[in-house]
Amino acid sequence: MKYAFPDNFWWGSASSALQTEGAREGETTWDYWFAREPNRFHNGVGPQQTSTFYQQWKTDIQLLKQLNHNSFRTSISWARLIPDGIGEVNPEAVDFYNQVIDELNEQGITPFITLFHFDMPMAMQEIGGWENRDVVDAYARYAQICFDLFGDRVLHWFTFNEPIVPVEGGYLYDFHYPNVVDFRRAATVAYHTVLAHAKAVQAYRAGHYAGEIGIVLNLTPSYPRSQNPADVKAAHVADLMFNRSFLDPVLRGEYPADLVALLKSYDQLPACKPDDGFLIAEGKIDLLGINYYQPRRVKCRDSAVNPQAPFMPEWFFDSYEMPGRKMNPYRGWEIYEPGIYDILVNLRDNYGNPRCFISENGMGVENEQRFIENGQINDQYRIEFISEHLAWLHKGISEGCNCLGYHMWTFIDNWSWCNAYKNRYGFIQLDLKTQQRTIKKSGEWFAATALNNSFDRE
Ligand code: BG6
């Protein structure tokens, strides 16, 4: 069967500043944490070891072109642009991002730019990070500076990438700095992130810039183990906490009432100011980026909660390991392709069918060298992964979902937070020592699909 996509469908990939660029003047929480706890990072490899996009951007944009990308998302590094987060703008960073943006446009690759992709300037973390409203204002200033500097040539902006992840990693489950486990602080961080997002949207609207503004959310559809009301309720709470805590404010301009009521009943609500509601209502977006990697399967708890234990989302559900589920064993994530369709249908039916696109989808695999044939990684598994997801995406579009494109994570194998280079995701293989880049089979497959705006599959 031939799967053909709408005209002007966005074909591309995503990356981020910290994961690709390499060293910079402004320190981030990642540099700080790595210097103190290198053992937290796979093989002790830190964020300084990258595919050196800061030097190789021109070559890399040629490679993007070779892969027939018509669009590409990366982020601006707040710490590179404004090393202390709030003060002087670094003119070298301005030159760098100008060159990248201009070259992308010249090559016919539309730049999609994220403002915050997990890379908090250390100077901002030192004053409390997202727990401090001054950081919200500093972020809004940073956003305004980016719009003023680049807004004439960047027409697709994203305030945050996966804002729930720094909440989970930094304040609940200890996989990002500052390694806190405290729900109320997590809720404050999430809330202030929504305020920061809304302030950026407000500034963008006020400046009458030429393009559109959105956010990138990792949506994990929550599936209950069974239709038993207790399982269904468990899935509903997981959905409220992990999806709707950001989805509702950015699409509906307000929080779900039952999420607010639930947190209130456990005294976990962040401190609010009287005008916050108006601000959040102004944060409604033009375009939603959806990162989809895995579903979330849950069941009701079998045991009572220890009332002395820290309050956690898991007070309301347990994760459910569905028998026979298909796994990516390297990342430990379930692969469930229909999830992409379920997300789109939910957006269509419950959120007014917003303009959206798949901003990340991908498969990290360990030791891909074992698949080298004639000098090239033959990653057939990745081609299957992409085509199966695209088939479900295609079904969603044919049923009226407003999905405008598909970006893969990622372009070149890159540094992955605590996993460093353990799992490789790229269309292009990176030799970290020589910096040599070699296109994988999946890169060729994607280039052909993008060129034809379609692919064939049995
Ligand atoms: C997304 C992020 O969570 O998934 C990326 O936006 C990240 O920054 C990617 O690298 C893959 O996850 P991981 O943890 O394997 O790198």
Side-chain angles (χ1 to χ4, degrees):
M1 168 172 171
K2 187 183 174 88
Y3 292 87
F5 289 83
D7 289 347
N8 305 317
F9 196 69
W10 292 323
W11 293 104
S13 57
S15 69
S16 82
L18 192 109
Q19 292 177 273
T20 59
E21 289 178 0
R24 86 208 77 68
E25 188 190 326
E27 193 186 25
T28 68
T29 49
W30 293 94
D31 309 300
Y32 178 89
W33 188 27
F34 176 69
R36 273 147 198 87
E37 287 193 77
N39 53 302
R40 290 276 202 145
F41 297 79
H42 184 72
N43 284 346
V45 174
Q48 285 76 20
Q49 283 180 259
T50 65
S51 51
T52 59
F53 186 68
Y54 191 71
Q55 284 78 30
Q56 310 228 36
W57 55 273
K58 210 164 186 167
T59 318
D60 284 352
I61 292 172
Q62 275 312 312
L63 285 167
L64 287 174
K65 211 173 149 52
Q66 232 175 299
L67 297 183
N68 291 326
H69 280 37
N70 60 20
S71 43
F72 173 63
R73 179 168 68 100
T74 187
S75 65
I76 290 175
S77 161
W78 183 359
R80 186 184 294 286
L81 193 69
I82 309 172
D84 67 359
I86 189 66
E88 294 291 305
V89 172
N90 169 9
E92 282 170 26
V94 177
D95 284 350
F96 168 63
Y97 290 117
N98 269 331
Q99 285 173 324
V100 169
I101 289 163
D102 289 345
E103 181 70 10
L104 283 169
N105 278 323
E106 227 155 85
Q107 298 298 334
I109 302 167
T110 305
F112 287 31
I113 298 294
T114 313
L115 291 172
F116 187 92
H117 194 128
F118 307 169
D119 51 350
M120 177 66 87
M122 194 58 210
M124 296 288 94
Q125 189 63 42
E126 272 161 4
I127 60 167
W130 294 119
E131 288 183 85
N132 182 348
R133 280 192 185 234
D134 291 346
V135 173
V136 172
D137 291 334
Y139 167 88
R141 173 182 178 266
Y142 155 62
Q144 176 81 63
I145 288 171
C146 288
F147 302 150
D148 287 341
L149 286 169
F150 313 116
D152 54 337
R153 287 151 295 139
V154 173
L155 303 182
H156 307 278
W157 290 96
F158 302 91
T159 55
F160 285 85
N161 178 79
E162 300 190 350
I164 192 83
V165 171
V167 176
E168 294 173 340
Y171 295 86
L172 288 174
Y173 304 120
D174 189 12
F175 62 90
H176 279 205
Y177 192 79
N179 316 101
V180 168
V181 177
D182 183 324
F183 191 97
R184 199 160 192 278
R185 290 175 68 184
T188 301
V189 166
Y191 184 61
H192 287 173
T193 306
V194 166
L195 297 182
H197 156 85
K199 282 199 174 202
V201 172
Q202 209 179 36
Y204 195 74
R205 307 265 181 253
H208 302 289
Y209 300 94
E212 60 182 346
I213 188 158
I215 192 167
V216 170
L217 300 181
N218 51 315
L219 297 179
T220 45
S222 300
Y223 299 107
R225 167 180 58 179
S226 74
Q227 287 308 305
N228 178 292
D231 283 344
V232 171
K233 190 171 170 206
H236 176 67
V237 176
D239 187 39
L240 284 177
M241 294 231 185
F242 296 109
N243 297 318
R244 296 186 55 195
S245 51
F246 282 94
L247 192 60
D248 281 40
V250 304
L251 286 180
R252 293 184 172 152
E254 59 185 16
Y255 281 97
D258 43 356
L259 175 61
V260 177
L262 180 73
L263 297 193
K264 193 165 183 216
S265 66
Y266 286 88
D267 193 25
Q268 298 291 333
L269 278 181
C272 306
K273 290 194 175 173
D275 287 339
D276 287 353
F278 297 108
L279 177 60
I280 292 168
E282 291 200 359
K284 284 203 240 171
I285 55 171
D286 307 315
L287 174 65
L288 176 68
I290 301 160
N291 291 357
Y292 177 63
Y293 288 90
Q294 56 171 340
R296 183 185 299 276
R297 296 197 187 274
V298 298
K299 58 182 184 180
C300 63
R301 288 184 58 101
D302 294 327
S303 57
V305 165
N306 172 1
Q308 309 304 322
F311 180 80
M312 287 295 244
E314 288 72 15
W315 279 31
F316 305 97
F317 56 82
D318 270 340
S319 22
Y320 173 56
E321 288 191 12
M322 186 181 75
R325 67 199 176 135
K326 183 159 68 173
M327 289 296 291
N328 170 357
Y330 315 102
R331 190 61 178 85
W333 287 346
E334 182 183 341
I335 298 174
Y336 183 66
E337 299 89 346
I340 214 164
Y341 168 81
D342 290 343
I343 291 172
L344 294 177
V345 167
N346 178 40
L347 291 172
R348 183 194 66 194
D349 295 348
N350 298 313
Y351 290 88
N353 208 12
R355 282 163 55 77
C356 65
F357 75 112
I358 302 302
S359 41
E360 285 182 31
N361 180 218
M363 188 185 185
V365 173
E366 211 165 339
N367 187 17
E368 283 197 310
Q369 277 89 337
R370 73 197 129 128
F371 302 112
I372 292 181
E373 288 169 14
N374 305 319
Q376 184 187 43
I377 290 177
N378 185 355
D379 52 346
Q380 195 55 41
Y381 43 88
R382 186 168 284 111
I383 296 172
E384 304 275 316
F385 178 97
I386 304 172
S387 49
E388 192 61 28
H389 280 89
L390 278 174
W392 283 98
L393 175 60
H394 185 271
K395 179 170 158 63
I397 294 173
S398 67
E399 293 174 15
C401 299
N402 203 0
C403 181
L404 308 173
Y406 178 82
H407 283 187
M408 266 299 270
W409 187 268
T410 184
F411 163 45
I412 296 181
D413 293 337
N414 65 22
W415 186 81
S416 259
W417 316 109
C418 296
N419 278 330
Y421 288 91
K422 175 178 170 289
N423 305 316
R424 306 294 184 110
Y425 284 86
F427 282 136
I428 296 178
Q429 176 196 3
L430 173 73
D431 182 323
L432 198 54
K433 284 204 187 83
T434 62
Q435 286 289 321
Q436 197 191 325
R437 286 122 155 90
T438 314
I439 298 181
K440 301 178 194 175
K441 261 272 175 316
S442 61
E444 289 174 353
W445 184 91
F446 189 83
T449 301
L451 183 71
N452 300 329
N453 204 25
S454 68
F455 70 96
D456 288 299
R457 203 162 137 270
E458 281 168 17

